[in-house]
Every structure is written in C-alpha cells, then in structure tokens.
Amino acid sequence: MKLSKIYEILWLEFSGDDIEITAINSLQHANETQLSYCDSEKNAHLIQNSKAAVILVTQQMANLVKTKAIIVENPHLAFAILSKHFSNPLFYPKTEPQINSSATIMPNVYIGSNVKIGANSVIMAGAYIGDNVEIGNDCVLHPNVVIYNNSKIGNNCVLNANCVIGSDGFGFAHTKTGEHIKIYHNGWVEIGNHVEIGACSTIDRGVFDPTIIEDYAKIDNLVQVAHNCKVGYGTILVSQVGLAGSTKIGRNVVMGGQAGTAGHLEIGDFAQIAARGGVSKNLQGGKKYAGYPIMELNDFFKMTAKMLKTFGIKR
C-alpha cells in the first residue's frame, strides 16, 4: 500500500515521498519496507533500534523516530484501523494439498490449499483444515477440530474434538466515544511434538509472530491460550485455565483448574500454581503458588488458617 493511501485512511494530510509499505509489524521485527507503531512510553526505547520505514507515534515521541513518523493522537487506534487493510487473506491461491498415502482422511473433512499431512495421521469426520497448514506424522485430529490458516502441528499430536487452533486473538483499540476497533492478527500457531490439546480448547494466533506450544505440553479441555503466548516444554494446563496475551510459561509448569494469568507475564520453569490461582505478576520457577493475589503456597495456607481462626470458622 502506498504511504499516501495510509494517510488517507487515517484522515491525515500527506506530503513527502510516496513510498510503498508492504506490511505492518512490531518495532523489533519491522524491516525497511514496513510500518510499526509505539503507543506507550515504556516501549519508546524500542524506537531507536527499529528498522521500520514508518512509525505511528504521538507528538511527544516524534523526535525519537529516525525514519518517518506519522503523528497521531492514538497510535494504538491508528494501528488497529490499518490492521484490517493489511490482514491475511481468508483464502490463498489454490494449490493441491500434499497428503501422505498412509494418512486416513474420514468423510466430510475440509482440506484447504497447500496443506501438508504426514504419514499415518488420522483426520476424523467434520474437521476443518485451512490453507497452508502443516500436520506432522502420527497425529490424530478428532471430529470437528478446526485448524486455521498457516498453523503448524508437529508429530505425534492429539487434538480432541472441537478444539480450535489459530483463531483470531481478542484484541481491540477503543475510540473516545466507546467503539471497539478490531485488531486483525496476522501471526500463526506453532505446536511441537507429542502435544495433546483437550476438547473445546482454543489457541489464538499471534498479532505478528506465532503463539507457541512446545513439545510434550498437555492441555486439558476448555483451556484458553491467547495470542502470542508461549507454553513451555512438558507444561500441563488443567481444565479451564486461561492465559492472557503474551504470557510466557517455562518448562514443566503445572497450572491447576481455573487458574489464570494477566497478560505479558512470565512463569519460571517447574513452577506449580494451585487451582483458581490468579497470576498477577512474574513468578520464579521451582516454587508452588496459590490464591489471588498470587503468593507462595505455604503463605497461602498460613493466611487461610489465620482467617479461619480470626472469624471462628470451623473446617
């Protein structure tokens, strides 16, 4: 898209060289033909080393931009508006799928363009496999599994009925008058080897980069993994766990039923979080946690015992 067209979409007056913008991307990963944005001072330090050709910023941060700054009142909202115009297509040009002769494809399965399905994999009735999806060897997709475009699934994976891989993340920018403008997510999902995803669980694709589920992770039924999360090697997420966007979980973490995280947090290797634990801050690895606000398990037990004694409650 021409830069002048971007100005037109944002209701801005254009001047200068009318360069071609090929995509939108994060400050860290944008190249010399792409557009990015910075909507907060905590991320302003990323502007200096960004290679983006054009950056959406407020007037206060315009002097930090070495390339070209588009000055807007709300960079996050401007980015959301533009994301629709740079969103991935629903359907890609038709290319025949590559399905190993030993794979089993049951009736009423939809297989999109340029799909790859490995040896001995089984795709059960009613599954939907979007364009450019890769499925490894010895996988089992149970009935009505949905795999959105560009998702990658490793070997020896089990996806139980009605789980959804690669759906659009839940992200919106907000206008002054209360409207919510959708942010289109152009990333994808990568699932490693020996992973199991429970029935009716959902894993959203990233905004620019992938949402990642590493090898040997086990995810129970009714779990929500939001955009740009990373679930580490051998991690277990029990039923109704919810991970907010950009949560990073180390290896062999265990989260009990209905535990959840706020976004942009990190949980260290081998941490354990009891059922209904509310993770509101980064957690060290190798420890057990419980409660909300989250605390170490022994402290939670002491606090609970003291409360019961104070209020005369018998267990």
Side-chain angles (χ1 to χ4, degrees), residues 59-75:
Q59 182 68 61
Q60 291 79 3
M61 290 189 282
N63 64 317
L64 300 176
V65 180
K66 296 179 179 179
T67 51
K68 183 173 181 60
I70 300 181
I71 299 170
V72 292
E73 183 178 2
N74 186 336

Side-chain angles (χ1 to χ4, degrees), residues 4-304:
S4 58
K5 180 65 176 177
I6 289 172
Y7 272 74
E8 180 184 330
I9 291 169
L10 298 177
W11 296 86
L12 299 172
E13 185 176 342
F14 175 74
S15 63
D17 296 333
D18 197 7
I19 61 175
E20 190 81 23
I21 300 299
T22 60
I24 56 178
N25 209 335
S26 64
L27 285 169
Q28 301 98 312
H29 299 128
N31 65 33
E32 293 84 353
T33 66
Q34 296 177 339
L35 177 146
S36 190
Y37 79 107
C38 183
D39 64 345
S40 66
E41 292 196 4
K42 72 176 184 180
N43 293 324
H45 67 282
L46 299 173
I47 294 176
Q48 185 175 6
N49 295 321
S50 179
K51 297 179 181 178
V54 179
I55 302 176
L56 299 164
V57 290
T58 60
Q59 182 68 61
Q60 291 79 3
M61 290 189 282
N63 64 317
L64 300 176
V65 180
K66 296 179 179 179
T67 51
K68 183 173 181 60
I70 300 181
I71 299 170
V72 292
E73 183 178 2
N74 186 336
H76 193 231
L77 178 60
F79 160 72
I81 293 168
L82 292 174
S83 72
K84 180 177 181 179
H85 297 271
F86 285 93
S87 61
N88 287 333
L90 285 175
F91 303 101
Y92 288 82
K94 188 65 178 177
T95 302
E96 287 301 310
Q98 301 175 38
I99 303 174
N100 190 280
S101 59
S102 63
T104 299
I105 311 296
M106 293 186 177
N108 300 317
V109 171
Y110 176 86
I111 298 177
S113 175
N114 196 36
V115 169
K116 298 176 182 178
I117 300 175
N120 302 312
S121 287
V122 176
I123 315 297
M124 294 190 184
Y128 175 95
I129 302 174
D131 296 347
N132 303 324
V133 169
E134 297 180 13
I135 299 171
N137 303 327
D138 301 294
C139 292
V140 178
L141 274 62
H142 286 270
N144 301 318
V145 166
V146 175
I147 313 292
Y148 278 78
N149 293 351
N150 305 312
S151 299
K152 296 176 174 59
I153 298 169
N155 301 319
N156 296 287
C157 292
V158 177
L159 277 62
N160 285 288
N162 300 300
C163 73
V164 179
I165 309 299
S167 50
D168 214 16
F170 188 76
F172 299 87
H174 315 292
T175 68
K176 288 182 177 179
T177 51
E179 292 82 16
H180 311 299
I181 307 302
K182 180 178 177 61
I183 297 171
Y184 287 78
H185 290 59
N186 290 328
W188 63 99
V189 172
E190 292 183 4
I191 295 176
N193 302 318
H194 303 281
V195 172
E196 180 157 350
I197 311 294
C200 299
S201 289
T202 55
I203 302 174
D204 295 342
R205 65 178 177 263
V207 180
F208 306 115
D209 304 315
T211 299
I212 297 174
I213 312 296
E214 293 191 340
D215 295 354
Y216 289 96
K218 307 298 179 185
I219 296 177
D220 198 359
N221 304 329
L222 299 169
V223 169
Q224 158 69 8
V225 178
H227 59 270
N228 294 107
C229 287
K230 181 179 180 181
V231 176
Y233 181 102
T235 282
I236 293 175
L237 305 180
V238 180
S239 182
Q240 299 184 37
V241 162
L243 304 182
S246 299
T247 299
K248 309 299 181 189
I249 297 180
R251 65 165 297 169
N252 293 97
V253 171
V254 178
M255 295 186 68
Q258 297 187 342
T261 72
H264 300 271
L265 298 179
E266 296 187 10
I267 300 175
D269 298 345
F270 299 100
Q272 295 184 25
I273 299 161
R276 294 192 173 183
V279 182
S280 53
K281 60 182 180 180
N282 293 339
L283 299 181
Q284 294 180 17
K287 296 183 177 182
K288 297 179 180 180
Y289 300 90
Y292 181 83
I294 200 76
M295 62 189 75
E296 289 193 37
L297 187 62
N298 286 339
D299 293 334
F300 176 77
F301 286 152
K302 291 175 184 177
M303 181 192 72
T304 303

